[in-house]
Amino acid sequence: MSARDPIADLRRIAFLLERANEATYRVRAFRSAAKALAGLPAAEVTERAGNGTLTELAGVGDVTARCVSESLAGEEPVYLRRLVATEGSDLDAEATALRAALRGDCHTHSDWSDGGSPIEEMALAAVELGHEYVVLTDHSPRLTVARGLTAERLRRQLDHVAQVNAALPEGFRILTGIEVDILADGSLDQDDELLARLDVVVGSVHSGLKDERAKMTRRMLKAVANPHLDILGHVTGRMVSSRPAGVTGPGDRGHRARTRNESDFDADAVFAACAEHDTAVEINSRPERQDPPKRLIRRALEAGCRFAINTDAHAPGQLDWQRFGCERAALCGVPADRVVNTWSAEQLVEWTHARD
């Protein structure tokens, strides 16, 4: 029996653990082992598996060493086989059709801010999922807890993305973007010149979430009216459960809250403004957010809003969380033609740039 690729198997296990929202330490164990082995010649990995010295490598433990040995023996690792066998239930027909219509993800994070993986890993995971594009939306500078990008760091990231795109498979591209903070006065937390350069701008409220209703409404209305803002992110800011554990990087610092009530604002006024200014409302797929709640998705639909079904992924496996957003959108009757990431990259960028 020919050997499998043990590094690919370790990464696949990490991906499935992230998708299943498993504990951080489990995901980190497999990603750390994959990283340790990737720096060694294949012959050394095989030799160490044979003489039982894999665990002498930093980042490789008993469980991951066993998976490597099984892969090298040509067997699907037992750990991987069990994960595949216990994957989640199938989507219903409407949600399945909506998920199949999605061509990309407009809200993702890398280790440039509070994500757990490099841009390249996020992009390759998106390719494997069948995406045609992924929008990189690391945080803006005021969100220091999430290592938000200053204007200088964002410019460096734009150069880096151009280099990564040149090496990615044909037919896939990373679109440039940001998750920009909506500040207390409704302004956006980044230079206008940079916002105009980006392909997609997601704007979210991360502070002052308990502001009184009139203040929060004014703040959101001003942001929605800004021509640089394309998508209004996780609209209510709520957290319905503890933050997921499947993030492996230095933080996922933006998702530490346990539970949090919805912000209070005039939803009808905000959604009317979104429809007027052609700003899409995000259906955030993170299991701990489920934002907006279904009653507000329906109100946004009735108001004539567009939507973006995004993962807000902070790790590769979380890129497959779009199915959760599709389930909620389908339950609310959101049609595919109202969802901006059913468009091609060219159509999406044409829409966002027409709004600047």
Side-chain angles (χ1 to χ4, degrees):
M1 190 178 296
S2 59
R4 294 167 59 93
D5 182 344
I7 298 173
D9 281 343
L10 291 171
R11 288 173 174 161
R12 181 62 181 167
I13 291 169
F15 178 94
L16 292 174
L17 288 170
E18 287 165 348
R19 186 170 72 176
N21 202 8
E22 289 287 349
T24 302
Y25 74 88
R26 289 196 178 100
V27 180
R28 185 181 295 121
F30 288 94
R31 289 214 178 275
S32 296
K35 184 176 181 180
L37 297 186
L40 297 178
E44 182 178 346
V45 174
T46 301
E47 181 181 354
R48 284 182 175 275
N51 62 27
T53 60
L54 280 171
T55 56
E56 294 178 4
L57 298 170
V60 180
D62 290 337
V63 174
T64 50
R66 187 180 311 119
C67 290
V68 171
S69 296
E70 290 167 347
S71 290
L72 290 172
E75 303 169 6
E76 182 179 38
V78 172
Y79 202 110
L80 177 56
R81 192 160 64 244
R82 286 174 179 165
L83 282 174
V84 171
T86 57
E87 284 186 275
S89 59
D90 293 335
L91 301 177
D92 64 23
E94 291 80 6
T96 298
L98 186 53
R99 175 64 187 87
L102 297 182
R103 300 172 76 170
D105 191 335
C106 296
H107 185 172
T108 70
H109 296 272
S110 76
D111 60 3
W112 281 62
S113 66
D114 64 341
S117 295
I119 294 169
E120 295 85 345
E121 281 190 24
M122 296 295 288
L124 290 173
V127 170
E128 290 177 5
L129 288 172
H131 288 344
E132 297 175 20
Y133 57 87
V134 66
V135 186
L136 177 62
T137 54
D138 280 323
H139 288 285
S140 62
R142 292 286 184 94
L143 202 62
T144 55
V145 70
R147 297 175 62 240
L149 273 61
T150 62
E152 180 184 354
R153 288 184 67 216
L154 179 55
R155 289 189 181 94
R156 291 205 305 269
Q157 186 182 79
L158 294 178
D159 292 338
H160 182 69
V161 167
Q163 294 172 2
V164 175
N165 268 333
L168 288 172
E170 186 177 353
F172 179 88
R173 62 192 277 204
I174 303 168
L175 298 181
T176 60
I178 192 170
E179 183 182 12
V180 64
D181 263 30
I182 297 173
L183 302 177
D185 64 354
S187 60
L188 304 183
D189 179 33
Q190 192 49 273
D191 296 348
D192 282 348
E193 170 264 328
L194 273 172
L195 294 177
R197 284 182 59 188
L198 299 173
D199 293 321
V200 178
V201 174
V202 177
S204 307
V205 174
H206 288 104
S207 61
L209 290 162
K210 295 181 180 179
D211 281 352
E212 54 92 21
R213 179 182 179 87
K215 181 177 180 182
M216 181 63 80
T217 301
R218 287 193 301 270
R219 180 182 184 183
M220 296 176 76
L221 289 175
K222 181 176 177 181
V224 167
N226 189 312
H228 295 309
L229 183 64
D230 303 311
I231 300 170
L232 184 61
H234 46 73
V235 178
T236 76
R238 75 174 185 172
M239 293 283 187
V240 298
S241 63
S242 299
R243 79 176 182 91
V247 177
T248 61
D252 195 22
R253 298 174 178 87
H255 295 273
R256 291 186 183 240
R258 293 189 178 276
T259 60
R260 184 168 60 221
N261 293 332
E262 300 169 24
S263 295
D264 188 15
F265 59 93
D266 185 339
D268 291 331
V270 170
F271 293 148
C274 286
E276 177 186 355
H277 296 286
D278 201 18
T279 302
V281 173
E282 178 179 74
I283 297 176
N284 190 291
S285 300
R286 292 189 73 90
E288 84 279 19
R289 284 194 181 275
Q290 301 178 36
D291 195 4
K294 291 192 290 293
R295 73 178 195 284
L296 292 186
I297 294 176
R298 295 187 183 100
R299 285 164 73 175
L301 183 62
E302 291 167 2
C305 296
R306 299 189 196 272
F307 297 90
I309 301 176
N310 298 329
T311 60
D312 194 357
H314 286 65
Q318 295 175 7
L319 288 166
D320 205 22
W321 283 355
Q322 275 183 319
R323 57 200 174 117
F324 301 141
C326 288
E327 286 176 329
R328 295 172 54 247
L331 286 171
C332 297
V334 175
D337 63 7
R338 294 275 283 275
V339 180
V340 299
N341 44 330
T342 63
W343 299 341
S344 68
E346 291 74 17
Q347 290 172 307
L348 181 66
V349 172
E350 182 180 357
W351 170 69
T352 61
H353 286 180
R355 303 178 64 262
D356 284 334

